[in-house]
């Protein structure tokens, strides 16, 4: 049996050096001069994947899990849409876009990189955003996902807002009308079509729609520039601003997420559609998890801050849609019944009193007569007006001509009918006048004079009549469905009226009836018994003051601090100014045993009474901005000493108007 020796095995192997010579006509590129060309992102006309030099790629004999087509070919797009089409075609199994993304999010197909940690973090962020867009199938149709993604990229600096300028060193064509965006796009399409017809090549795909710039840039005047260097300076400044935004995002992604998912969305009008409130938090969560999973930023500081931002995003997924639901349900029917009973207290709507004779800016009839008589008397001493006689002569001549025409008609036995007189005539008199003025040889009377309308008989319906619509009667909100015949309007009235932004501190359902105390039977209406009934039927929501809620955005300065409206009644801890702002007085702290205790809008909580059905819409920390009205006891506000002194208890409030809903993380 032959054996393989070590020397023979070594001889059979290729050992280097010496290195073999290259074949004739072949040049071997040193590794230091090698440049990676990559794979073309978009295919050519043959729809084949090619590398950067245009050479078609080939498949390996042994397939790996990471082997996939890098070029956006039609075959690849069909393969990606196939699972979505199967999901949508299944009866009753339609999935949302985030469910479809979640099914393949953790697969190796969504793994990108590796990202070189030695490169700039800004370059890695930009590259990762491009990979995030390419590694998933974006939902089709008017979902707004692509628009939301562009708005997020504008916010963190991945997209730039190109400045608008005007050249002062070039003559401006004033007479030539400005072409609209549609005309410019049409001209561009015509140019491409003409080039395609000459070259015979396939028409390129239409360009992607540009992202809408922030509303703060609308209406800004173009910046005047006089040379190319100033244009470059504008563009460089925009690039610097964009890079600063990216740096701010990487340094504190939690803060930037709080701003984007609250005040930025409000300023850009993204909160007025429920689908945005649902889609945008989920979209940015996918992006942040994409950065963490692919270790785009392996640095501990970056990774820790990105993971902290996820807590804000998850909170936004819960609370943003709640802000819309709360705004649609508040004020509830109980609050509407209260301001129907006690009147509107907010500043939104005010009833205008009818104008009296003293308030009229024009004189009354008596004043006109007296003024005219005074003018006639003074005209005797005044100088004669040159133009007045001419106008009087024209009026006199006109009246004389009309009178002469009427005399001629009367001489021909024609009675003149004036418009004002015909409105007062009876139908029989009108018919008699018609018979007297027509030809006596013709005895026919016009059809419109016989019938009740134009060509209508008495039995025919009038097509011109206004149709009678059976409208449902307007049902005003009332306390009767909630409390029955209650003494609330007798024992209570509207007290302190506060306009402010508060946040939900806690809420609780109405207690079991057995736990509530029973009120003693008295001949007079007892406010304690009324409040027990309120506690029996309604849930309680405790709102605490929210100081500094508008420090970052400054979008509603009139609600930045609490205000006491002029419709308020009751003691306030501090001095109320003319604008409703409360200035605390030093050394005048309210005594806890004092009743009614002065209200401190900066520190005191208020307890709202709401219907129990509203509690599932609330969440601790959610902000509510509006007008809050206190249900004050009449004996607390009156000066009748015969009334017994009420106990120091919690005074309840109701909602007169809600104008603002905010998530708990609003910044």
């Amino acid at each position: 049996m032959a054996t393989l020796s070590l020397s023979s095995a070594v001889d059979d192997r290729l050992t280097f050096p010496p290195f073999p010579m290259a074949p004739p006509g072949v040049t071997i590129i040193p590794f230091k001069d090698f440049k990676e060309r990559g794979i073309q992102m978009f295919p050519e006309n043959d729809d084949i994947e090619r590398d950067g030099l245009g050479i078609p790629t080939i498949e390996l004999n042994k397939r790996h899990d990471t082997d996939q087509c890098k070029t956006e070919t039609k075959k690849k797009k069909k393969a990606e849409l196939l699972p979505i089409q199967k999901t949508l075609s299944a009866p009753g199994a339609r999935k949302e876009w985030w469910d479809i993304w979640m099914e393949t999010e953790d697969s190796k197909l969504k793994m990108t990189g590796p990202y070189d940690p030695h490169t700039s973090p800004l370059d890695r962020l930009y590259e990762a955003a491009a990979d995030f867009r390419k590694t998933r199938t974006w939902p089709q149709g008017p979902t707004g996902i692509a628009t939301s993604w562009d708005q997020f990229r504008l916010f963190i600096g991945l997209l730039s807002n190109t400045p608008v300028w005007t050249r002062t060193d070039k003559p401006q064509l004033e007479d030539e009308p400005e072409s609209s965006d549609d005309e410019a796009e049409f001209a561009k399409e015509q140019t491409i079509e003409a080039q395609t017809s000459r070259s015979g090549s396939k028409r390129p795909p239409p360009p992607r729609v540009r992202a809408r710039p922030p509303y703060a840039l609308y209406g800004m005047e173009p910046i005047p520039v006089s040379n190319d260097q100033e244009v470059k300076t504008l563009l460089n400044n925009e690039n610097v601003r964009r890079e600063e935004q990216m740096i701010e995002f990487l340094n504190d992604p939690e803060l930037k997420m709080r701003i984007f998912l609250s005040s930025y969305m409000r300023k850009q009008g993204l909160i007025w559609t429920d689908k945005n409130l649902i889609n945008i938090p989920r979209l940015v969560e996918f992006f942040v998890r994409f950065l963490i999973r692919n270790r785009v930023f392996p640095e501990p500081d970056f990774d820790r801050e990105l993971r902290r931002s996820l807590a804000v995003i998850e909170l936004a997924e819960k609370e943003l849609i709640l802000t819309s639901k709360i705004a649609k349900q508040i004020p509830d029917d109980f609050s509407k019944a209260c301001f129907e009973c006690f009147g509107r207290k907010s500043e939104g709507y005010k009833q205008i009193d009818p104008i009296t004779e003293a308030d009229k800016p024009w004189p009354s009839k008596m004043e006109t007569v007296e003024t005219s008589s005074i003018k006639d008397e003074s005209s005797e001493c005044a100088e004669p007006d040159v133009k007045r006689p001419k106008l009087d002569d024209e009026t006199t001549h006109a009246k004389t001509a009309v009178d002469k025409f009427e005399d001629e008609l009367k001489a021909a036995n024609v009675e003149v009918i004036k418009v004002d007189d015909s409105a007062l005539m009876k139908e029989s008199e009108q018919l008699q006048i018609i018979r007297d003025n027509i030809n006596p040889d013709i005895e026919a009377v016009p059809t419109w004079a016989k019938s009740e309308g134009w060509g209508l008989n008495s039995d025919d319906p009038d097509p011109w009549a206004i149709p009678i619509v059976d409208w449902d009667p307007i049902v005003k909100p009332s306390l009767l469905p909630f409390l029955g015949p209650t003494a609330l309007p007798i024992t209570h009235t509207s007290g302190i009226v506060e306009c402010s932004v508060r946040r939900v501190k806690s809420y609780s359902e109405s207690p079991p009836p057995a736990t509530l105390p029973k009120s003693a039977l008295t001949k007079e209406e007892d406010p304690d018994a009324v409040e027990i009934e309120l506690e029996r039927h309604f849930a309680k929501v405790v709102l605490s003051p929210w100081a500094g809620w508008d420090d970052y955005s400054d979008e509603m300065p009139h609600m930045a601090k609490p205000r006491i409206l002029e419709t308020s009644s009751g003691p306030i801890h501090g001095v109320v100014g003319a604008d409703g702002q409360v200035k605390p007085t030093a050394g005048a702290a309210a005594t806890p045993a004092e009743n009614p205790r002065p209200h401190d809008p900066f520190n005191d909580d208020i307890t709202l009474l709401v219907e129990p059905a509203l509690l599932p819409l609330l969440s601790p920390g959610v902000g509510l901005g509006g007008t809050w009205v206190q249900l004050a006891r009449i004996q607390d506000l009156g000066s009748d000493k015969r009334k017994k002194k009420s106990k120091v208890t919690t005074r309840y409030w109701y909602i007169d108007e809600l104008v603002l809903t905010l998530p708990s993380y609003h910044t």
Side-chain angles (χ1 to χ4, degrees):
M1 181 177 179
T3 59
L4 184 65
S5 63
L6 180 61
S7 59
S8 61
V10 172
D11 295 338
D12 291 340
R13 287 195 237 162
L14 295 176
T15 57
F16 304 99
F19 294 96
M21 299 295 296
V26 177
T27 302
I28 299 178
I29 302 175
F31 183 77
K32 64 182 181 64
D33 298 332
F34 173 75
K35 294 182 179 180
E36 185 180 1
R37 301 293 181 176
I39 303 296
Q40 293 183 5
M41 183 179 298
F42 300 102
E44 297 181 359
N45 298 334
D46 53 4
D47 201 50
I48 297 177
E49 183 183 53
R50 299 174 182 270
D51 63 4
L53 298 177
I55 303 174
T57 60
I58 59 174
E59 295 184 4
L60 299 176
N61 293 330
K62 184 177 180 181
R63 186 173 180 83
H64 302 79
D65 295 337
T66 57
D67 292 345
Q68 58 176 337
C69 182
K70 309 296 190 304
T71 306
E72 299 292 334
T73 60
K74 295 180 179 180
K75 183 178 180 181
K76 178 184 178 183
K77 293 181 179 179
K78 290 181 179 180
E80 292 178 347
L81 292 176
L82 184 60
I84 301 177
Q85 294 175 352
K86 290 182 178 180
T87 303
L88 298 179
S89 60
R94 181 179 179 85
K95 293 184 178 180
E96 298 290 349
W97 63 269
W98 58 81
D99 294 328
I100 300 174
W101 283 15
M102 187 61 68
E103 291 177 353
T104 58
E105 193 65 18
D106 295 332
S107 63
K108 294 183 179 180
L109 298 178
K110 296 296 187 293
M111 299 296 293
T112 58
Y115 299 92
D116 187 1
H118 300 289
T119 60
S120 169
L122 304 185
D123 295 339
R124 281 181 278 164
L125 179 62
Y126 190 85
E127 183 182 358
D131 293 339
F132 176 78
R133 184 179 62 85
K134 292 184 297 184
T135 55
R136 62 200 65 247
T137 302
W138 295 77
Q140 304 294 327
T143 57
I145 305 300
T147 303
S148 302
W149 172 242
D150 290 340
Q151 289 298 318
F152 178 70
R153 291 196 296 165
L154 281 171
F155 176 73
I156 64 176
L158 291 173
L159 285 182
S160 62
N161 297 313
T162 305
V164 181
W165 65 84
T166 177
R167 296 294 294 261
T168 58
D169 57 337
K170 295 182 179 180
Q172 302 294 329
L173 301 178
E174 299 180 355
D175 298 333
E176 183 178 355
E178 297 182 359
S179 61
S180 62
D181 295 340
D182 296 338
E183 294 174 352
E185 187 67 24
F186 178 75
K188 184 177 180 180
E189 292 179 359
Q190 294 294 324
T191 304
I192 295 176
E193 186 174 353
Q195 295 175 355
T196 304
S197 61
R198 290 193 297 267
S199 61
S201 60
K202 187 177 179 181
R203 182 178 177 181
R208 190 181 179 189
V209 180
R210 290 185 58 187
R212 175 185 62 79
Y215 286 129
L217 302 179
Y218 278 66
M220 296 186 63
E221 294 293 334
I223 302 174
V225 294
S226 58
N227 50 55
D228 295 339
Q229 184 61 35
E230 293 184 359
V231 175
K232 293 181 180 180
T233 302
L234 284 179
L235 298 178
N236 291 336
N237 293 339
E238 172 60 25
N239 290 333
V240 171
R241 186 200 62 82
R242 184 174 59 84
E243 292 179 357
E244 289 177 352
Q245 286 184 304
M246 298 173 66
I247 293 173
E248 291 177 359
F249 172 75
L250 293 177
N251 289 337
D252 197 348
E254 180 186 12
L255 176 61
K256 300 299 288 185
M257 285 297 180
R258 290 162 64 96
I259 297 175
F260 176 74
L261 295 173
S262 57
S263 59
Y264 184 84
M265 289 183 59
R266 177 175 292 274
K267 290 181 179 180
Q268 301 308 317
L270 301 176
I271 66 170
W272 308 118
T273 306
D274 286 353
K275 67 178 182 180
N276 289 338
L277 303 179
I278 298 174
N279 292 336
I280 291 180
R282 288 177 168 82
L283 177 62
V284 296
E285 181 185 8
F286 275 107
F287 178 65
V288 173
R289 294 191 182 277
F290 177 86
L291 298 178
I292 297 175
R293 183 176 61 254
N294 290 278
R295 295 187 58 79
V296 180
F297 304 102
E299 296 87 347
D301 294 340
F302 288 158
D303 185 75
R304 180 177 62 255
E305 294 298 328
L306 286 174
R307 294 182 184 275
R308 289 181 57 185
S309 67
L310 288 176
V312 178
I313 298 174
E314 293 173 356
L315 198 59
E317 294 177 0
K318 172 187 175 183
E319 294 183 354
L320 273 181
I321 189 61
L322 290 182
T323 59
S324 175
K325 295 180 179 179
I326 292 173
K328 297 174 183 177
Q329 299 295 329
I330 294 179
D332 57 351
D333 291 339
F334 169 70
S335 295
K336 294 178 182 178
C338 286
F339 64 66
E340 187 69 29
C341 177
F342 302 114
R344 177 77 71 171
K345 304 300 178 183
S346 61
E347 294 179 331
Y349 305 94
K350 292 184 179 179
Q351 184 177 0
I352 301 177
D353 297 332
I355 300 177
T356 60
E357 292 291 337
D359 300 332
K360 289 183 179 179
W362 57 86
S364 61
K365 294 182 178 179
M366 185 62 67
E367 293 174 349
T368 306
V369 174
E370 295 177 354
T371 305
S372 61
S373 62
I374 295 173
K375 289 182 178 180
D376 293 340
E377 295 177 358
S378 60
S379 62
E380 298 178 357
C381 302
E383 295 182 1
D385 192 358
V386 179
K387 297 182 179 180
R388 175 58 64 87
K390 184 178 180 181
L391 295 175
D392 293 343
D393 294 342
E394 293 179 356
T395 306
T396 304
H397 292 322
K399 291 183 178 180
T400 304
V402 173
D403 295 339
K404 187 181 296 185
F405 179 69
E406 291 182 357
D407 294 340
E408 293 177 358
L409 292 178
K410 291 180 180 179
N413 295 325
V414 177
E415 183 177 356
V416 179
I417 304 174
K418 296 182 179 180
V419 178
D420 296 338
D421 298 338
S422 63
L424 301 176
M425 287 184 181
K426 296 181 180 180
E427 184 179 358
S428 59
E429 295 178 356
Q430 296 178 9
L431 292 176
Q432 186 63 35
I433 294 173
I434 293 173
R435 292 190 180 97
D436 294 341
N437 287 278
I438 63 175
N439 191 343
D441 297 334
I442 302 176
E443 297 181 355
V445 180
T447 306
W448 63 268
K450 290 182 179 180
S451 63
E452 298 178 355
W454 289 90
L456 295 176
N457 297 323
S458 58
D459 298 335
D460 296 337
D462 187 3
W464 300 100
I466 300 176
I468 300 175
V469 181
D470 188 14
W471 297 100
D472 294 334
I474 299 177
V475 180
K476 294 185 178 181
S478 174
L479 295 170
L480 193 62
F482 300 103
L483 303 175
T486 178
L488 179 63
I490 302 175
T491 59
H492 291 71
T493 185
S494 60
I496 300 170
V497 182
E498 176 188 320
C499 178
S500 63
V501 176
R502 291 175 170 267
R503 62 196 320 167
V504 177
K505 182 178 181 180
S506 62
Y507 49 87
S508 59
E509 297 182 355
S510 56
T515 60
L516 295 175
K518 295 183 179 180
S519 57
L521 297 177
T522 58
K523 295 182 179 180
E524 298 180 354
E525 292 79 6
D526 187 7
D528 292 332
V530 173
E531 293 179 356
I532 290 176
E533 285 299 315
L534 292 175
E535 296 175 1
R536 193 188 310 274
H537 290 85
F538 299 105
K540 300 177 185 178
V541 179
V542 180
L543 300 182
S544 60
W546 191 352
W549 69 273
D550 203 29
D551 290 344
Y552 280 89
S553 57
D554 192 24
E555 54 184 286
M556 299 183 73
H558 66 287
M559 296 191 68
K561 295 181 180 180
R563 293 185 298 119
I564 303 299
L565 304 186
E566 59 182 7
T567 54
S568 178
S569 299
I572 301 296
H573 179 61
V575 179
V576 181
D579 56 352
Q581 299 288 344
V582 180
K583 297 180 180 179
T585 55
T591 305
E594 188 178 355
N595 194 34
R597 184 176 181 271
H599 176 65
D600 187 356
F602 293 96
N603 299 303
D604 290 349
D605 297 339
I606 64 174
T607 303
L608 295 177
L609 294 177
V610 299
E611 298 179 46
L614 293 180
L615 294 186
L617 304 180
L618 301 178
S619 178
V622 172
L624 304 177
T627 303
W628 325 108
V629 182
Q630 184 189 51
L631 281 174
R633 297 185 178 186
I634 294 180
Q635 63 188 27
D636 293 343
L637 302 179
S639 59
D640 190 356
K641 302 299 182 181
R642 294 175 298 176
K643 295 285 185 180
K644 66 177 183 178
K645 188 175 182 180
S646 59
K647 298 180 294 184
V648 180
T649 57
T650 302
R651 295 296 183 257
Y652 296 117
W653 299 63
Y654 67 89
I655 309 167
D656 189 88
E657 185 183 38
L658 185 71
V659 298
L660 186 67
T661 53
L662 302 172
S664 60
Y665 56 86
H666 178 83
T667 307

